[in-house]
Amino acid sequence: MSLVLPDEVDIREVGMRDGLQLEDPIPTSTKLELLDAIVDAGARRVEVTSFVSPKAVPALADADQVAAELGRWPGVRFSALVANTRGADRAVDAGVVNLEYVISASDAHSKANTGKTTAEATDAIGQIATRAHKAGGDVEVIVGVAWDCPFAGRTPPDRILQVVKAAVRAGADRLCLADTIGTTTPARLLSLLAEVGRACPGIEIGIHLHDTRGAGQANALAAVLAGVRQLDASVGGLGGCPFAPGASGNIATEELVYWLGESGVHTGLNLSGLHRAATIAENAVGHELPSSLHRALNRRST
Amino acid sequence: MSLVLPDEVDIREVGMRDGLQLEDPIPTSTKLELLDAIVDAGARRVEVTSFVSPKAVPALADADQVAAELGRWPGVRFSALVANTRGADRAVDAGVVNLEYVISASDAHSKANTGKTTAEATDAIGQIATRAHKAGGDVEVIVGVAWDCPFAGRTPPDRILQVVKAAVRAGADRLCLADTIGTTTPARLLSLLAEVGRACPGIEIGIHLHDTRGAGQANALAAVLAGVRQLDASVGGLGGCPFAPGASGNIATEELVYWLGESGVHTGLNLSGLHRAATIAENAVGHELPSSLHRALNRRST
C-alpha cells in the first residue's frame, strides 16, 4: 500500500490566537515580533487574534492594536475568531474582514463560553456572514467540541450536522471541525468528516486539532488522506502548558510541516523559521512548549 | 474515504529495555515492580532487557537477575535484545529464548555500537538463529537506523535489503525496521516497508518508532494502514528525557493504545493499567516522561 498524499496542504497558523489565549497577557510588541517570525517562516494564513470580551480573554485584549499593524505583511491572509455579531462588527471595523465564527456543538460548552445555546449561536451565522461579505471578506464556521465536550461527553454527530447545514444555508464560505479537547482519533475523525461531507457537498472543510492525548499528528494524517487540505496548527504546540492542569496545545506547526514536507507535501513553511518563531513564543510565555520537534531542534542548536 | 483498520494490533512493550537503557540504573526490584504493572495493564509481549556489555549499558547490567524472575508471569511472551552471539548465549542460558538481534544498517552506527561493520554483524545471524531455535525460541532481526543514521545521514534502502534478505536466508523468524533516531515520516516509512515486503515475501515485519520529531503516531498509523501488525512502544514514552540533549523516547504505549482502541482496534492493553505503569516508571527514573496522554491522565487524576 502506498499513501496517496496531496501535493500541497494549507496550514493556518493559530498560535497567535488559540496558542496565546490561555496564557498570561504578553506585550503587543512581543506579539508583533512573534507574528513577524511566523510570516518570515512562510505562513500565508494566520488567525491573528480574536475579538471577544477582554474580561473573558485578557491575553487578547489588544486585538485592535494588533489589527492596526497588519498592513506590514501584505502577502498574508489574516483572519480573526469571533463568538458573536458584536465581535464580528469589531473585527470588521478594525480592518480584519476574514472571520472565523466558532459555535460549540454542545449546549453546555456553548453556554459556558457565550451564554447561548448551540441553536441560538447558529441563528447568528447569517448576520455575521453578511457583515464579512459586505466588507469584502469571508466567514468560516468552526464547530467546537465536534467530537467530545468536557461537560457533556460525546457530541452526537446530528448536532454537528444541524450546525453545518445551517451554516451553509446562511452563507458560510468554509467549515472547520474542531477537536477542542484533543480526544478524537483517526476513525472517529473520518467518520464525522464523511457525514459532514455528505451533508454539505462541495464546501471546503478544515480540521482543527489539539495534541492532548498524543494522537494529533495521526489525526492530521488521517484527515489529509481523506482529502482535507486545511489544517490548523500552532508554533511549538503553543497553548499547551505541560505544567498547567487542563491546558493542552494545538498540534505543533513544525511537527506537521516536518512529516508533510519529508513526505513530499508542500506547505510553504520552513523549519528553521518555525524554530525561531517557537523560540520567541517560548520566551514570551515563559515556559517550555510541548512540541517534541521544537525540543529536538533546541538540542541540535546547543 | 474510510480507513481500513485491522481488528487487532500486537504491541510489544519495550520500555523495560529501550526505555531504561539510557537512564541511570534503577534497582532490580523496581524494574520487577514496573514489569508487574506492565503485565497487569495487559501486555502479552515484553522485550524485557538486553544481554549486552554491562559496561556499555550499565542500566541493564542486571539482565540475569531480571530473567531469573520471569517465571512469575507465565502468560507473557518475553524476549531480549542481543547484539552478538555471546549475548545470544547469555540470554538462552538465562532462560530467555526469544531473541531480538539488532543490526545497524550503517557501518558508522554499527561500528560505534558493536565494533563490527553491518556485513560482519549480518554474518552472525545464522549462529544466533540456530541458538534460539535449539532452545525452543525464535529470533527477530531488527534493522537499526533503517531510515537515517546520526553519523552517516540517510541510509540507502539497498543496505536494508541486503540485511533482511540475508536474515531470512539465515533463519530469522521475523523482521523489524527501527527508526532509531526518530526521523522517518509516513511516506518514507511506507516506501521502505514496501521494498522490504517485496524482497522478503511472507515474513512478518514489525516497526519500531521513536517520537523525537512528533511524527511517531502518524508513522504508526501509516504502518498499520499498510498492514503492519506489530509495533514497539514504551510506557510513558520512556526513554525520552526532555532535559537530556540527544535523548528521545519510543512512541508511548498509552498514546498508541488510546487512538487504536478508540478507532476500534483491539490491543489487549488498558489505559488505567498503563497509567499506573508509566507512573512507576516516572518515579523510578526521577523525571517527567514525554507522553502527552500520560500528562493528561495525571491532570485528570489530580
Side-chain angles (χ1 to χ4, degrees):
Chain A
M1 178 228 181
S2 64
L3 297 183
V4 181
L5 288 167
D7 293 335
E8 206 166 337
V9 164
D10 257 350
I11 298 177
R12 179 167 60 195
E13 173 60 44
V14 299
M16 293 280 295
R17 196 280 302 172
D18 206 359
L20 293 178
Q21 69 180 9
L22 292 177
E23 299 286 347
D24 290 335
I26 63 171
T28 306
S29 59
T30 308
K31 280 187 194 175
L32 295 171
E33 190 195 350
L34 171 59
L35 178 54
D36 194 55
I38 286 169
V39 173
D40 198 53
R44 291 298 169 264
R45 292 178 88 154
V46 180
E47 186 184 73
V48 77
T49 188
S50 68
F51 288 87
V52 292
S53 156
K55 271 187 220 157
V57 186
L60 303 180
D62 61 356
D64 286 292
Q65 290 96 298
V66 170
E69 302 294 329
L70 299 180
R72 291 196 212 171
W73 301 279
V76 181
R77 181 191 157 84
F78 290 110
S79 60
L81 188 130
V82 301
N84 52 38
T85 50
R86 185 153 167 271
D89 289 343
R90 279 181 58 207
V92 169
D93 290 347
V96 185
V97 297
N98 300 311
L99 307 180
E100 279 100 47
Y101 177 41
V102 63
I103 299 176
S104 289
S106 85
D107 284 333
H109 194 262
S110 187
K111 282 193 152 180
N113 270 9
T114 65
K116 290 178 184 161
T117 63
T118 303
E120 286 163 354
T122 303
D123 286 343
I125 299 170
Q127 275 179 280
I128 291 170
T130 303
R131 191 81 175 94
H133 293 155
K134 271 194 186 159
D138 63 20
V139 66
E140 171 175 314
V141 169
I142 301 179
V143 187
V145 301
W147 287 276
D148 296 296
C149 166
F151 312 119
R154 296 224 166 187
T155 309
D158 276 354
R159 291 190 63 91
I160 287 92
L161 296 182
Q162 282 169 23
V163 175
V164 293
K165 285 192 276 190
V168 172
R169 275 199 305 270
D173 300 282
R174 220 164 34 251
L175 301 170
C176 181
L177 303 176
D179 181 24
T180 308
I181 56 170
T183 54
T184 197
T185 56
R188 293 184 70 200
L189 188 151
L190 293 200
S191 168
L192 183 61
L193 193 59
E195 287 199 64
V196 171
R198 278 193 297 272
C200 306
I203 194 161
E204 193 190 349
I205 307 168
I207 298 286
H208 176 99
L209 296 165
H210 284 251
D211 208 10
T212 319
R213 283 158 186 79
Q217 300 294 345
N219 289 332
L221 172 59
V224 170
L225 289 174
V228 168
R229 295 295 170 264
Q230 181 189 296
L231 291 168
D232 287 356
S234 69
V235 283
L238 190 63
C241 172
F243 310 107
S248 65
N250 296 105
I251 55 171
T253 310
E254 60 275 21
E255 293 183 352
L256 187 58
V257 166
Y258 175 73
W259 71 256
L260 283 170
E262 292 280 314
S263 295
V265 181
H266 181 75
T267 63
L269 290 145
N270 68 81
L271 290 181
S272 60
L274 290 169
H275 184 216
R276 193 176 141 251
T279 303
I280 292 170
E282 190 159 58
N283 292 335
V285 300
H287 60 77
E288 195 177 49
L289 298 183
S291 164
S292 297
L293 179 51
H294 181 63
R295 290 199 292 258
L297 293 171
N298 281 343
R299 289 193 296 265
R300 208 167 62 180
S301 61
T302 53
Chain B
M1 177 228 180
S2 63
L3 298 182
V4 181
L5 288 167
D7 293 335
E8 207 166 336
V9 165
D10 258 349
I11 298 177
R12 178 167 61 195
E13 173 59 42
V14 299
M16 293 281 294
R17 196 279 302 170
D18 205 359
L20 292 178
Q21 70 179 9
L22 292 176
E23 298 286 346
D24 290 335
I26 65 172
T28 306
S29 59
T30 308
K31 279 187 196 175
L32 295 171
E33 191 195 347
L34 171 60
L35 178 53
D36 194 56
I38 286 169
V39 173
D40 198 53
R44 290 298 168 265
R45 293 178 88 155
V46 180
E47 186 184 75
V48 77
T49 188
S50 69
F51 288 87
V52 291
S53 156
K55 269 186 221 157
V57 187
L60 303 180
D62 61 355
D64 286 292
Q65 291 95 300
V66 170
E69 302 294 330
L70 298 181
R72 291 194 211 170
W73 300 280
V76 180
R77 181 191 159 85
F78 290 109
S79 60
L81 187 130
V82 301
N84 51 36
T85 51
R86 185 153 169 271
D89 289 344
R90 279 182 60 207
V92 169
D93 290 347
V96 184
V97 298
N98 299 312
L99 306 180
E100 278 101 47
Y101 177 40
V102 64
I103 300 176
S104 289
S106 85
D107 284 334
H109 194 260
S110 186
K111 282 192 152 180
N113 270 8
T114 65
K116 291 179 184 162
T117 64
T118 303
E120 286 164 355
T122 302
D123 286 343
I125 299 171
Q127 276 179 279
I128 291 170
T130 302
R131 191 81 175 94
H133 292 154
K134 271 194 185 159
D138 64 20
V139 68
E140 171 175 315
V141 169
I142 300 179
V143 188
V145 301
W147 286 275
D148 296 296
C149 166
F151 311 120
R154 296 223 167 188
T155 310
D158 275 354
R159 291 190 62 92
I160 287 92
L161 296 182
Q162 282 168 23
V163 176
V164 294
K165 284 191 276 192
V168 171
R169 276 197 306 270
D173 299 283
R174 221 166 29 251
L175 301 170
C176 180
L177 304 176
D179 181 23
T180 308
I181 57 169
T183 54
T184 197
T185 55
R188 293 183 71 200
L189 189 151
L190 293 200
S191 168
L192 184 62
L193 193 60
E195 287 199 64
V196 171
R198 278 193 297 271
C200 307
I203 195 162
E204 192 188 351
I205 307 168
I207 297 286
H208 176 98
L209 296 165
H210 284 252
D211 207 9
T212 319
R213 285 158 185 78
Q217 301 294 345
N219 289 332
L221 172 60
V224 170
L225 289 175
V228 168
R229 296 294 171 264
Q230 182 190 296
L231 291 168
D232 287 356
S234 68
V235 284
L238 190 62
C241 171
F243 311 107
S248 65
N250 296 104
I251 56 171
T253 311
E254 61 274 21
E255 294 183 352
L256 188 57
V257 167
Y258 175 73
W259 72 255
L260 282 171
E262 292 280 315
S263 294
V265 181
H266 181 75
T267 63
L269 290 145
N270 68 80
L271 290 181
S272 60
L274 290 169
H275 184 217
R276 194 177 140 249
T279 302
I280 292 171
E282 189 159 58
N283 291 335
V285 299
H287 59 77
E288 194 177 50
L289 298 182
S291 163
S292 298
L293 179 52
H294 181 64
R295 290 199 291 259
L297 293 170
N298 281 344
R299 289 194 295 266
R300 208 167 62 180
S301 61
T302 53

